[in-house]
């Protein structure tokens, strides 16, 4: 009977997608932000973040979508992802503004994530600047190109209608 319960649990977990806002902190101050993300909010303690990652890994969901604020702004981002990826087949998606994706970050993301969703709230510097701030279009585009150079398999661009 215990075998049937475990088998059923595995079947259910294969269908679970977990969305995790790893931080409410962000490097931007967008006018539409739903989490009111700011740079100076209190960051969760490392132990708490790792404990959450371990709990998610135990569930062994089909997919985990890491978001925030800006997930790359979390000081525990890589450690939490490493916990999720250790001994599991979890499909990972990153939701990011891409402004913090340099070469090193791009290498890590391509290695550990199946897909990346990038918020591009405008089609040029002017339209993006109205929503996200001056200079953000170029930073976002640079992050996108760092991923593209490394042949990130799936990148979804999210854009608001202006």
């Amino acid at each position: 009977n215990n075998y049937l319960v475990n088998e059923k649990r595995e079947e259910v977990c294969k269908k679970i997608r977990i969305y995790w806002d790893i931080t409410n902190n962000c490097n931007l101050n967008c006018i539409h932000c739903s989490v009111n993300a700011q740079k100076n909010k209190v960051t969760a303690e490392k132990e708490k973040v790792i404990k959450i990652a371990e709990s998610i890994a135990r569930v062994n969901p089909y997919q985990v979508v890491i978001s925030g604020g800006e997930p790359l702004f979390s000081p525990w981002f890589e450690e939490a992802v490493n916990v999720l990826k250790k001994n599991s087949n979890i499909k990972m998606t990153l939701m990011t503004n891409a402004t913090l994706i340099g070469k090193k970050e791009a290498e890590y993301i391509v290695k550990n994530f199946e897909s990346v969703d990038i918020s591009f709230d405008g089609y040029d510097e002017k339209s993006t600047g109205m929503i996200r701030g001056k200079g953000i279009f170029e930073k976002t585009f640079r992050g996108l190109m760092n991923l593209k150079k490394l042949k990130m398999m799936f990148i979804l661009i999210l854009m608001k209608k202006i």
Side-chain angles (χ1 to χ4, degrees):
N1 202 8
N2 203 13
Y3 173 77
L4 290 175
V5 169
N6 287 336
E7 189 176 285
K8 191 70 169 169
R9 182 182 181 278
E10 275 186 42
E11 185 73 25
V12 169
C13 289
K14 286 180 187 176
K15 298 174 184 174
I16 293 176
R17 176 183 296 145
I18 294 176
Y19 289 83
W20 182 20
D21 290 343
I22 194 169
T23 182
N24 282 335
N25 293 340
C26 186
N27 58 318
L28 303 182
N29 193 20
C30 303
I31 60 173
H32 65 277
C33 185
S34 63
V35 292
N36 195 19
Q38 296 172 1
K39 293 179 194 173
N40 300 320
K41 283 190 175 178
V42 176
T43 300
E45 296 172 7
K46 177 182 176 180
E47 294 76 24
K48 188 174 186 176
V49 172
I50 299 305
K51 194 172 188 171
I52 291 168
E54 289 169 345
S55 296
I56 293 171
R58 272 194 304 278
V59 172
N60 195 25
Y62 165 73
Q63 182 182 26
V64 173
V65 178
I66 296 184
S67 187
E70 171 52 44
L72 296 173
F73 209 63
S74 168
W76 326 122
F77 172 75
E78 286 189 17
E79 290 178 72
V81 171
N82 292 342
V83 168
L84 291 168
K85 294 297 283 186
K86 185 180 178 181
N87 302 321
S88 76
N89 292 320
I90 299 172
K91 305 290 182 223
M92 301 290 291
T93 296
L94 176 64
M95 295 183 81
T96 177
N97 63 40
T99 60
L100 301 176
I101 301 177
K103 266 182 150 178
K104 182 180 141 259
E105 293 80 11
E107 288 172 3
Y108 183 82
I109 292 165
V110 168
K111 180 181 170 191
N112 291 286
F113 287 83
E114 282 68 35
S115 64
V116 179
D117 295 352
I118 298 176
S119 300
F120 238 117
D121 292 321
Y123 55 89
D124 63 5
E125 181 58 51
K126 185 179 177 184
S127 59
T128 302
M130 292 185 326
I131 296 169
R132 294 187 167 248
K134 187 175 171 137
I136 301 306
F137 181 84
E138 182 60 38
K139 289 179 183 178
T140 302
F141 190 76
R142 194 174 322 124
L144 168 66
M145 294 311 292
N146 284 331
L147 292 169
K148 189 174 183 282
K149 285 177 197 170
L150 294 173
K151 308 221 184 309
M152 182 72 204
M153 292 301 290
F154 186 75
I155 302 171
L156 176 66
I157 307 297
L158 306 171
M159 191 176 296
K160 291 210 177 296
K161 184 178 178 184
I162 298 175

